[in-house]
Amino acid sequence: MKKKVRIIPGFGLSMGVTLSLLSLVVLIPLASLVVFTAKMDLSSIIEVITKPRVVASFKVSLLTALIASLVNAVMGVVLAWVLVRYDFPLKRLLDGMIELPFALPTAVAGISLTSLYADTGLGKFFAKFGIKVAYTRLGIIVALIFVGIPFVVRAVQPVLEKLDPLYEEAAGILGASRAQIFRKVIFPELRPAIFTGFGL
């Protein structure tokens, strides 16, 4: 019988290393969390998750994520629109910069943004207006916008590229304004992609 040849050399070794790292980083901490929680009764769990600091952390996380997602949904569509519909100098550079949050580790992005918006950087400018960015909810929102914007742009961009401009031209010939064309022709096509980017 002929031996099956694998396309990826060293598949067994690479899969073993991958699963070992996944276990160390993700599975073991999650398992310990489940084991620790299983020892508690329901009243203890409710007591822990309703502590003021825990509730406050939930509020900060959910509120900042919601605000950042809403901003990204709008700005991501605008960025994708500009990248698809217009030609301008350094367009490819801007398109590549959209990927920057994917290339940077999250910790590096956080440290860089904190340094940038601290009192020694751009934070000095905002401090004149009484706005503190670093180490505040506003800073968290800025970081989440930075990390999340590529998801919306990359979800919307392919849909805009495939969207046939003939529909827009037909709507314009029939007397629709630019706002009506966007609302009734373009937005229904973009809606699923926008929700996907928003969710990501």
Side-chain angles (χ1 to χ4, degrees):
M1 189 168 179
K2 194 174 180 181
K3 188 179 177 184
K4 189 175 177 184
V5 179
R6 291 203 179 268
I7 296 170
I8 303 172
F11 176 77
L13 178 64
S14 59
M15 183 59 97
V17 170
T18 303
L19 289 176
S20 299
L21 287 173
L22 181 68
S23 298
L24 285 171
V25 175
V26 178
L27 299 178
I28 293 173
L30 281 178
S32 66
L33 185 66
V34 170
V35 168
F36 180 74
T37 309
K39 293 178 182 175
M40 300 170 67
D41 58 343
L42 185 61
S43 61
S44 301
I45 294 171
I46 292 171
E47 183 186 338
V48 168
I49 64 172
T50 55
K51 285 183 178 176
R53 290 185 78 165
V54 175
V55 172
S57 68
F58 288 152
K59 283 181 183 174
V60 168
S61 298
L62 295 173
L63 184 66
T64 54
L66 177 65
I67 293 168
S69 297
L70 290 171
V71 171
N72 280 341
V74 174
M75 294 309 299
V77 171
V78 171
L79 266 171
W81 185 275
V82 168
L83 288 171
V84 171
R85 296 294 172 103
Y86 300 106
D87 286 320
F88 53 91
L90 304 176
K91 176 181 175 178
R92 289 176 62 109
L93 180 66
L94 178 61
D95 194 30
M97 285 177 64
I98 299 292
E99 303 288 336
L100 187 62
F102 289 150
L104 280 176
T106 310
V108 173
I111 292 166
S112 301
L113 288 169
T114 303
S115 300
L116 182 66
Y117 286 103
D119 294 336
T120 55
L122 277 177
K124 193 185 296 183
F125 170 77
F126 290 110
K128 293 177 186 175
F129 304 102
I131 301 170
K132 184 168 172 53
V133 180
Y135 307 109
T136 64
R137 289 183 184 190
L138 181 58
I140 296 170
I141 292 169
V142 169
L144 287 173
I145 289 171
F146 174 77
V147 170
I149 196 83
F151 291 106
V152 181
V153 174
R154 294 305 182 224
V156 171
Q157 200 172 5
V159 178
L160 274 174
E161 287 170 352
K162 290 179 183 174
L163 194 62
D164 195 342
L166 291 175
Y167 295 117
E168 298 168 50
E169 291 172 17
I173 290 168
L174 292 170
S177 67
R178 293 187 75 104
Q180 287 174 322
I181 292 171
F182 182 81
R183 197 174 74 248
K184 295 189 175 181
V185 177
I186 299 169
F187 185 71
E189 296 291 326
L190 296 181
R191 191 184 303 127
I194 293 170
F195 282 137
T196 299
F198 177 87
L200 289 171

PDB file of all heavy atoms in Angstrom, residues 5 11 22 30 34 49 82 86 108 122-123:
ATOM      1  N   VAL A   5       1.637  10.911   1.329  1.00  0.00           N
ATOM      2  CA  VAL A   5       2.637  11.974   1.497  1.00  0.00           C
ATOM      3  C   VAL A   5       1.937  13.227   1.993  1.00  0.00           C
ATOM      4  O   VAL A   5       0.957  13.682   1.413  1.00  0.00           O
ATOM      5  CB  VAL A   5       3.352  12.263   0.149  1.00  0.00           C
ATOM      6  CG1 VAL A   5       4.364  13.374   0.325  1.00  0.00           C
ATOM      7  CG2 VAL A   5       4.010  11.005  -0.375  1.00  0.00           C
ATOM      8  N   PHE A  11       4.464  17.932  10.049  1.00  0.00           N
ATOM      9  CA  PHE A  11       3.127  18.290  10.533  1.00  0.00           C
ATOM     10  C   PHE A  11       2.914  17.852  11.980  1.00  0.00           C
ATOM     11  O   PHE A  11       2.395  18.602  12.796  1.00  0.00           O
ATOM     12  CB  PHE A  11       2.058  17.672   9.629  1.00  0.00           C
ATOM     13  CG  PHE A  11       0.651  17.907  10.114  1.00  0.00           C
ATOM     14  CD1 PHE A  11       0.041  19.136   9.935  1.00  0.00           C
ATOM     15  CD2 PHE A  11      -0.052  16.909  10.771  1.00  0.00           C
ATOM     16  CE1 PHE A  11      -1.242  19.363  10.393  1.00  0.00           C
ATOM     17  CE2 PHE A  11      -1.338  17.123  11.230  1.00  0.00           C
ATOM     18  CZ  PHE A  11      -1.937  18.349  11.029  1.00  0.00           C
ATOM     19  N   LEU A  22      -1.027  26.189  22.981  1.00  0.00           N
ATOM     20  CA  LEU A  22      -2.446  26.507  23.188  1.00  0.00           C
ATOM     21  C   LEU A  22      -2.891  26.050  24.571  1.00  0.00           C
ATOM     22  O   LEU A  22      -3.617  26.760  25.269  1.00  0.00           O
ATOM     23  CB  LEU A  22      -3.290  25.836  22.100  1.00  0.00           C
ATOM     24  CG  LEU A  22      -4.794  26.081  22.160  1.00  0.00           C
ATOM     25  CD1 LEU A  22      -5.099  27.533  21.840  1.00  0.00           C
ATOM     26  CD2 LEU A  22      -5.524  25.167  21.189  1.00  0.00           C
ATOM     27  N   LEU A  30      -8.181  28.409  31.485  1.00  0.00           N
ATOM     28  CA  LEU A  30      -9.642  28.269  31.438  1.00  0.00           C
ATOM     29  C   LEU A  30     -10.115  27.093  32.286  1.00  0.00           C
ATOM     30  O   LEU A  30     -11.124  27.192  32.982  1.00  0.00           O
ATOM     31  CB  LEU A  30     -10.106  28.091  29.996  1.00  0.00           C
ATOM     32  CG  LEU A  30     -10.188  29.350  29.143  1.00  0.00           C
ATOM     33  CD1 LEU A  30     -10.615  29.010  27.729  1.00  0.00           C
ATOM     34  CD2 LEU A  30     -11.137  30.365  29.745  1.00  0.00           C
ATOM     35  N   VAL A  34     -12.644  27.077  35.578  1.00  0.00           N
ATOM     36  CA  VAL A  34     -13.824  26.210  35.716  1.00  0.00           C
ATOM     37  C   VAL A  34     -13.731  25.403  37.013  1.00  0.00           C
ATOM     38  O   VAL A  34     -14.710  25.298  37.755  1.00  0.00           O
ATOM     39  CB  VAL A  34     -13.952  25.270  34.493  1.00  0.00           C
ATOM     40  CG1 VAL A  34     -15.009  24.203  34.735  1.00  0.00           C
ATOM     41  CG2 VAL A  34     -14.280  26.063  33.242  1.00  0.00           C
ATOM     42  N   ILE A  49     -19.491  38.199  41.541  1.00  0.00           N
ATOM     43  CA  ILE A  49     -19.715  38.977  40.314  1.00  0.00           C
ATOM     44  C   ILE A  49     -20.541  40.244  40.539  1.00  0.00           C
ATOM     45  O   ILE A  49     -20.651  41.067  39.631  1.00  0.00           O
ATOM     46  CB  ILE A  49     -20.368  38.119  39.198  1.00  0.00           C
ATOM     47  CG1 ILE A  49     -21.751  37.646  39.605  1.00  0.00           C
ATOM     48  CG2 ILE A  49     -19.475  36.976  38.798  1.00  0.00           C
ATOM     49  CD1 ILE A  49     -22.523  36.958  38.489  1.00  0.00           C
ATOM     50  N   VAL A  82     -13.560  55.781   0.885  1.00  0.00           N
ATOM     51  CA  VAL A  82     -12.470  56.582   0.313  1.00  0.00           C
ATOM     52  C   VAL A  82     -11.469  55.687  -0.416  1.00  0.00           C
ATOM     53  O   VAL A  82     -11.016  56.013  -1.521  1.00  0.00           O
ATOM     54  CB  VAL A  82     -11.773  57.410   1.426  1.00  0.00           C
ATOM     55  CG1 VAL A  82     -10.469  58.013   0.934  1.00  0.00           C
ATOM     56  CG2 VAL A  82     -12.705  58.502   1.927  1.00  0.00           C
ATOM     57  N   TYR A  86     -12.050  56.504  -4.514  1.00  0.00           N
ATOM     58  CA  TYR A  86     -11.205  57.633  -4.912  1.00  0.00           C
ATOM     59  C   TYR A  86      -9.770  57.192  -5.158  1.00  0.00           C
ATOM     60  O   TYR A  86      -9.274  56.277  -4.517  1.00  0.00           O
ATOM     61  CB  TYR A  86     -11.217  58.728  -3.830  1.00  0.00           C
ATOM     62  CG  TYR A  86     -12.594  59.283  -3.566  1.00  0.00           C
ATOM     63  CD1 TYR A  86     -13.285  58.955  -2.398  1.00  0.00           C
ATOM     64  CD2 TYR A  86     -13.208  60.124  -4.478  1.00  0.00           C
ATOM     65  CE1 TYR A  86     -14.546  59.456  -2.158  1.00  0.00           C
ATOM     66  CE2 TYR A  86     -14.475  60.637  -4.248  1.00  0.00           C
ATOM     67  CZ  TYR A  86     -15.140  60.296  -3.084  1.00  0.00           C
ATOM     68  OH  TYR A  86     -16.399  60.787  -2.853  1.00  0.00           O
ATOM     69  N   VAL A 108       1.978  46.296  22.709  1.00  0.00           N
ATOM     70  CA  VAL A 108       2.794  47.358  22.108  1.00  0.00           C
ATOM     71  C   VAL A 108       1.905  48.529  21.704  1.00  0.00           C
ATOM     72  O   VAL A 108       2.248  49.693  21.930  1.00  0.00           O
ATOM     73  CB  VAL A 108       3.578  46.819  20.887  1.00  0.00           C
ATOM     74  CG1 VAL A 108       4.287  47.938  20.142  1.00  0.00           C
ATOM     75  CG2 VAL A 108       4.575  45.762  21.327  1.00  0.00           C
ATOM     76  N   LEU A 122       0.962  64.092  22.918  1.00  0.00           N
ATOM     77  CA  LEU A 122      -0.241  64.787  22.459  1.00  0.00           C
ATOM     78  C   LEU A 122      -1.158  65.172  23.615  1.00  0.00           C
ATOM     79  O   LEU A 122      -1.968  66.074  23.479  1.00  0.00           O
ATOM     80  CB  LEU A 122      -1.028  63.894  21.493  1.00  0.00           C
ATOM     81  CG  LEU A 122      -0.584  63.882  20.039  1.00  0.00           C
ATOM     82  CD1 LEU A 122      -1.428  62.890  19.250  1.00  0.00           C
ATOM     83  CD2 LEU A 122      -0.686  65.245  19.410  1.00  0.00           C
ATOM     84  N   GLY A 123      -1.011  64.461  24.721  1.00  0.00           N
ATOM     85  CA  GLY A 123      -1.828  64.755  25.892  1.00  0.00           C
ATOM     86  C   GLY A 123      -1.668  66.181  26.375  1.00  0.00           C
ATOM     87  O   GLY A 123      -2.587  66.765  26.948  1.00  0.00           O
TER      88      GLY A 123
END
